[in-house]
Amino acid sequence: NLEIDNINLLPYFEEQLNKIDFYLIDTLKFKNNNIELNISITNLDYNESEIKKPDYNNCILNIDSSIAKKYGKNINYPSNKDLDEILNKKDYKHIILMLLDGLGSDVLMDNLNPNAFLNKNKLTDISAVFPSTTAVATISTLSGKAPIETGWLGWQNYFKEVNKHVVLFRNTGYYTKDNLDINIERDILPFETFFNDFKNKTFELMPSFKENGCQTFNEMTERLINITKENDKTFTYAYWDNPDFVMHEYGSRHPKSKEVLETINYLLEQMLPKLASDTCLIITADHGHKDVLPIDLRKFKRLWDLLEIEPSNEARCQFFKVKENSKEEFKKLFNCYFSKYYDLYLKEEFLNNEFLGLNTVSIKHNRIDDFIGDFVAIAKSYYYFDCLNIEMLFKSHHAGLTKEEMTIPVIVYTK
């Protein structure tokens, strides 16, 4: 009921209201009888989500630490006591660390039968590192270092040396889509694996987007079986890009996502009897998933015009570089629009909150300040910022702070 001074404004607004996208806040103007009124309208829904901040004393780095300790090596973060207990029971000849992309604890529980292998053998839940996304978590898993140490903070960041936003894994322009003469992993953000100096044989298994990668998950399980037949002691890191890939397209509880998870679970069950004795299989994830809706950030023109460069990092953990002398205006406007859906932090506040790692343990990478810019917006509900205006919209996403995104399982099978 849009009414002021007994004047019903609804007939004036009805036509314009029908043109407004469901996620758009717009300003409508009305002037009549010396009354001038500007109204901001939104149909963004709000749903309270449980928030879970990263716990760097109970995350993937602690799993790395337990494994490293087994091989006589130390990393900065404490080990996971539950996993220590299992690894200390026996001198396993073969240890496998498998990371299934997007296999959050909620995804696992909601899509698979309680008696399925992946559920039945769950040891515990741990926290994802932050941002809860693949480019961050896989590098932390491989390196045994927190994001604040590696400099890997998200899918894409602004690199001043090429004056472009670069997709870190692909070395391509995020907004421009061109191939760049730059290799992030080799030239700018290199890292060593935490297992690079293990004295036994080590293996890395990846999907087909990497050279000599596995074409199917079945092929990956066959390779793992063969590795456990080695005479020497082995450590293997195996990464698979599902169920994440299918959940982005269809949603985390869609029948297709359930089908992919059931297939993965089935192939793992088929693999177990064929593994050599003295094998310890540890399965975890990089992050979980949250079903989402998009917000086209470009349509918020007043806010967009305050930016010095386009937003970077992740749709649910967005970095903003703001024009000079516009910080207060940006903060006020952003919170007016999005405070129910995102928490906004100044860069200093974000770092002091230890989202990227423990400041007492980790040494900050020299590119962190560069990448973050002035503000960080972290999703706490089920919206994500779409800055590309692309046709393919995500049905499920991650990198925010909800329990669904931040809670991941540790599954252990020993033979």
Side-chain angles (χ1 to χ4, degrees):
N1 180 24
L2 296 173
E3 189 172 295
I4 187 169
D5 286 358
N6 297 319
I7 301 172
N8 184 10
L9 307 181
L10 190 57
Y12 175 78
F13 285 129
E14 267 183 336
E15 184 179 352
Q16 296 186 59
L17 283 168
N18 289 332
K19 295 177 183 177
I20 297 175
D21 293 323
F22 78 95
Y23 48 77
L24 173 64
I25 295 176
D26 207 353
T27 300
L28 307 178
K29 296 182 179 180
F30 173 80
K31 190 172 183 180
N32 186 41
N33 294 346
N34 298 319
I35 299 170
E36 185 168 333
L37 185 66
N38 294 338
I39 301 180
S40 290
I41 297 178
T42 177
N43 196 27
L44 284 172
D45 192 12
Y46 177 61
N47 179 268
E48 193 79 30
S49 296
E50 185 179 339
I51 300 303
K52 182 179 176 66
K53 289 191 175 181
D55 180 357
Y56 286 96
N57 289 308
N58 187 36
C59 69
I60 188 63
L61 299 177
N62 311 109
I63 302 299
D64 283 358
S65 183
S66 291
I67 295 169
K69 189 163 66 170
K70 188 69 177 173
Y71 290 101
K73 182 180 176 182
N74 289 318
I75 61 177
N76 283 342
Y77 283 79
S79 59
N80 181 287
K81 301 306 178 189
D82 293 327
L83 185 57
D84 285 345
E85 188 176 336
I86 291 173
L87 292 176
N88 289 337
K89 284 181 179 177
K90 193 172 182 179
D91 186 20
Y92 293 100
K93 188 175 180 181
H94 307 288
I95 297 178
I96 300 165
L97 176 61
M98 177 180 284
L99 194 152
L100 296 176
D101 199 325
L103 187 74
S105 297
D106 283 53
V107 166
L108 187 61
M109 181 176 61
D110 291 348
N111 285 286
L112 287 182
N113 186 290
N115 291 319
F117 162 73
L118 288 170
N119 272 324
K120 193 168 57 177
N121 289 275
K122 189 173 87 166
L123 175 68
T124 187
D125 287 322
I126 61 174
S127 161
V129 298
F130 191 79
S132 48
T133 189
T134 304
V136 180
T138 54
I139 302 304
S140 282
T141 304
L142 283 164
S143 66
K145 294 183 176 182
I148 197 166
E149 297 174 89
T150 66
W152 288 72
L153 302 184
W155 182 246
Q156 58 93 1
N157 286 119
Y158 177 75
F159 286 80
K160 57 188 178 185
E161 50 266 63
V162 292
N163 191 29
K164 283 186 179 179
H165 293 72
V166 181
V167 179
L168 274 65
F169 278 148
R170 297 179 178 174
N171 303 301
T172 57
Y174 179 69
Y175 290 101
T176 56
K177 307 300 181 187
D178 52 336
N179 294 316
L180 303 175
D181 187 20
I182 186 175
N183 188 305
I184 301 299
E185 186 174 327
R186 183 191 65 213
D187 301 331
I188 301 176
L189 299 175
F191 63 91
E192 289 185 346
T193 64
F194 78 93
F195 49 86
N196 74 305
D197 57 356
F198 283 5
K199 291 182 172 57
N200 54 288
K201 280 189 176 181
T202 58
F203 299 88
E204 285 186 53
L205 300 186
M206 303 290 283
S208 58
F209 56 71
K210 286 282 191 180
E211 189 176 352
N212 299 318
C214 302
Q215 295 292 328
T216 63
F217 189 68
N218 188 45
E219 180 186 341
M220 180 171 282
T221 61
E222 291 296 328
R223 288 203 202 179
L224 288 171
I225 292 165
N226 290 333
I227 287 171
T228 68
K229 293 177 181 177
E230 294 265 344
N231 289 325
D232 298 320
K233 285 187 173 183
T234 68
F235 171 76
T236 304
Y237 169 78
Y239 164 82
W240 192 245
D241 54 359
N242 260 319
D244 177 81
F245 188 82
V246 69
M247 289 193 294
H248 275 305
E249 185 173 356
Y250 293 101
S252 65
R253 274 67 173 172
H254 191 277
K256 286 186 180 291
S257 300
K258 181 181 175 68
E259 182 183 350
V260 166
L261 264 171
E262 287 175 338
T263 301
I264 289 172
N265 185 80
Y266 172 78
L267 291 172
L268 287 170
E269 286 180 327
Q270 296 302 301
M271 175 185 76
L272 302 179
K274 301 174 186 176
L275 293 173
S277 298
D278 297 338
T279 297
C280 180
L281 171 64
I282 304 160
I283 301 173
T284 187
D286 47 357
H287 55 77
H289 259 261
K290 177 84 170 173
D291 288 347
V292 292
L293 293 169
I295 297 174
D296 186 348
L297 201 56
R298 290 180 183 271
K299 290 189 175 180
F300 296 82
K301 192 171 185 310
R302 286 177 61 197
L303 189 76
W304 190 271
D305 287 346
L306 297 176
L307 300 177
E308 187 175 303
I309 57 175
E310 291 102 331
S312 65
N313 206 53
E314 289 278 351
R316 287 177 59 79
C317 180
Q318 201 90 79
F319 296 165
F320 296 104
K321 179 69 175 172
V322 177
K323 290 176 180 176
E324 194 172 353
N325 300 321
S326 296
K327 285 186 182 181
E328 284 304 313
E329 186 180 357
F330 177 87
K331 182 178 179 180
K332 183 178 179 180
L333 200 55
F334 185 94
N335 284 329
C336 175
Y337 288 154
F338 304 124
S339 61
K340 281 186 177 180
Y341 322 109
Y342 279 78
D343 284 332
L344 186 68
Y345 296 87
L346 281 166
K347 176 177 66 180
E348 295 76 15
E349 294 172 332
F350 177 71
L351 293 174
N352 289 339
N353 269 279
E354 297 188 314
F355 284 108
L356 303 179
L358 302 178
N359 295 334
T360 54
V361 175
S362 305
I363 299 173
K364 186 171 75 170
H365 195 280
N366 60 11
R367 297 303 295 265
I368 295 290
D369 290 316
D370 248 10
F371 292 155
I372 293 178
D374 299 311
F375 290 97
V376 180
I378 304 175
K380 59 183 180 180
S381 184
Y382 50 69
Y383 290 100
Y384 74 93
F385 287 137
D386 170 25
C387 297
L388 288 176
N389 195 21
I390 55 177
E391 288 184 9
M392 185 274 188
L393 296 175
F394 292 105
K395 298 292 178 61
S396 186
H397 219 322
H398 48 82
L401 269 184
T402 67
K403 177 179 73 75
E404 294 95 323
E405 296 160 281
M406 289 296 299
T407 309
I408 56 177
V410 178
I411 298 148
V412 180
Y413 171 84
T414 59
K415 183 175 180 181

